[in-house]
Amino acid sequence: MSGPESKALSITNEESVPLATALAQWVAENAHIRLLILKGPLAHESGLRARKTSTDVDVLVLPSDVDRLISALAEHGWSPRPWPQFPTLLPPHSRALLHPQWGIDIDVHFNWPGFLAPASNVFDRLWERRREMTLAGTPVQTTGRADTALILALHLLREAPQKWNRGRTIPAYDDLIKRVVADDGLSADIRAAAADTGSEQTARPFLEAVGFEIPETEPDDALRAWRLHGASAHPVSGWLNAFADASIRERPSLVWRAVFPSAADLRAIDPAGGDGARGTFYRWWRRLKRGIRTAPAAIRTLRKEK
């Protein structure tokens, strides 16, 4: 294969992430949409994590602007990644977009997991503290340093408990704590940012690690969901939780969807496995075996946390 298409397909993540970030910023500005770039190469430029090659572009917009941004990006070849509407412990927070000639996704966030204040209010506060930085020769809007540190911490805390429970350490989390502690004044700004984004309890381990005492409060439904997600290492937990909350009439169809998802849903969650009926069967069998193997541990976790 030769020509422009082959060059587009050979682009590396190190090249495509800055370019896609600049594109997202340009598209949003032309559509008069306020957009914030999250994490990515800018987190390194902000001195908050070591250099790493990102695998996607995370952006944040107001919930009311999500569909407009997706439509604007569609004009440049980006379309929603197929993903099944399976039950999860945390509410949906983003839409992933893909492009046939780019090896990365653009994740359009309308909320960041761990920010429990109303999403529109959170965005407005983050926007007030935004910074302009340059990426791929383009000025882009990103979150302030304290907000970026808090976003990184929440991202790590969302999945870290599952790893800590297996005795593993999270080098990126430990490194972030060291960077914040070594930066005079930054921790106080992070503490203030946690207060107005509703993340004092979700980010509590991180805030305590950088020197603050955070009293534990009575959890509401959103905080309970956050903690349950952190304690649950298996995707089957979402189905079991939905089953527990469902009515008697809803449960049979829920069980059927869990055991016999569509071929398209199986392909979306497990792209490997080949095409046709045989590939569908292999995906279904792998998923069924994982569910049976992990269900007992998931049930114990749900009983303990709920």
Side-chain angles (χ1 to χ4, degrees):
M1 184 181 295
S2 61
E5 184 176 1
S6 64
K7 294 180 180 178
L9 288 171
S10 66
I11 191 170
T12 67
N13 284 5
E14 191 171 359
E15 297 165 329
S16 61
V17 166
L19 292 172
T21 300
L23 173 66
Q25 180 74 70
W26 180 81
V27 168
E29 288 179 357
N30 280 275
H32 306 290
I33 295 171
R34 291 186 295 166
L35 176 143
L36 290 168
I37 307 299
L38 305 179
K39 306 190 296 98
L42 298 178
H44 167 71
E45 298 298 330
S46 299
L48 293 170
R49 74 178 183 189
R51 184 180 296 278
K52 60 175 290 189
T53 300
S54 299
T55 57
D56 57 18
V57 175
D58 290 300
V59 304
L60 179 70
V61 297
L62 284 166
S64 57
D65 284 335
V66 171
D67 289 339
R68 285 207 302 130
L69 180 61
I70 290 175
S71 295
L73 286 167
E75 297 178 9
H76 299 273
W78 295 85
S79 60
R81 176 179 287 280
W83 195 253
Q85 298 300 309
F86 288 170
T88 56
L89 297 174
L90 291 178
H93 58 271
S94 68
R95 299 275 299 280
L97 307 182
L98 54 79
H99 191 287
Q101 293 180 341
W102 294 66
I104 60 170
D105 286 3
I106 296 179
D107 286 339
V108 179
H109 290 262
F110 46 88
N111 192 16
W112 189 256
F115 288 153
L116 303 187
S120 296
N121 294 351
V122 169
F123 182 88
D124 286 339
R125 297 309 301 270
L126 297 181
W127 184 259
E128 291 171 4
R129 298 190 289 262
R130 72 189 185 281
R131 295 173 300 153
E132 184 172 281
M133 298 182 70
T134 300
L135 196 62
T138 303
V140 297
Q141 305 300 318
T142 187
T143 47
R145 290 191 74 238
D147 292 320
T148 299
L150 190 56
I151 286 167
L152 289 170
L154 289 169
H155 177 68
L156 292 163
L157 286 169
R158 181 158 49 113
E159 306 299 340
Q162 301 169 11
K163 298 178 181 178
W164 285 327
N165 291 342
R166 296 194 292 270
R168 297 174 58 185
T169 60
I170 313 297
Y173 182 71
D174 295 338
D175 180 62
L176 178 61
I177 291 171
K178 291 177 182 177
R179 290 171 184 264
V180 170
V181 170
D183 191 329
D184 292 341
L186 181 57
S187 57
D189 291 339
I190 293 172
R191 175 69 177 84
D196 67 26
T197 57
S199 57
E200 290 175 296
Q201 293 300 314
T202 53
R204 185 165 167 250
F206 176 70
L207 295 173
E208 291 182 337
V210 298
F212 296 100
E213 184 176 341
I214 309 295
E216 187 169 2
T217 62
E218 185 67 25
D220 58 11
D221 289 344
L223 182 56
R224 276 193 289 270
W226 170 269
R227 291 176 175 172
L228 184 58
H229 174 87
S232 301
H234 312 295
V236 72
S237 300
W239 289 101
L240 294 171
N241 187 58
F243 181 85
D245 292 341
S247 66
I248 297 297
R249 292 183 59 185
E250 294 170 330
R251 287 180 174 179
S253 62
L254 190 66
V255 171
W256 181 265
R257 283 184 59 219
V259 178
F260 299 107
S262 70
D265 286 345
L266 287 168
R267 191 178 301 109
I269 62 176
D270 185 6
D275 299 322
R278 177 173 293 183
T280 298
F281 175 79
Y282 284 150
R283 293 185 184 96
W284 173 80
W285 181 241
R286 281 197 297 266
R287 183 173 179 275
L288 183 64
K289 287 193 296 182
R290 285 195 303 269
I292 293 173
R293 185 178 67 252
T294 60
I299 291 171
R300 289 193 297 270
T301 298
L302 289 171
R303 286 175 175 172
K304 178 181 177 182
E305 296 296 328
K306 295 193 72 172

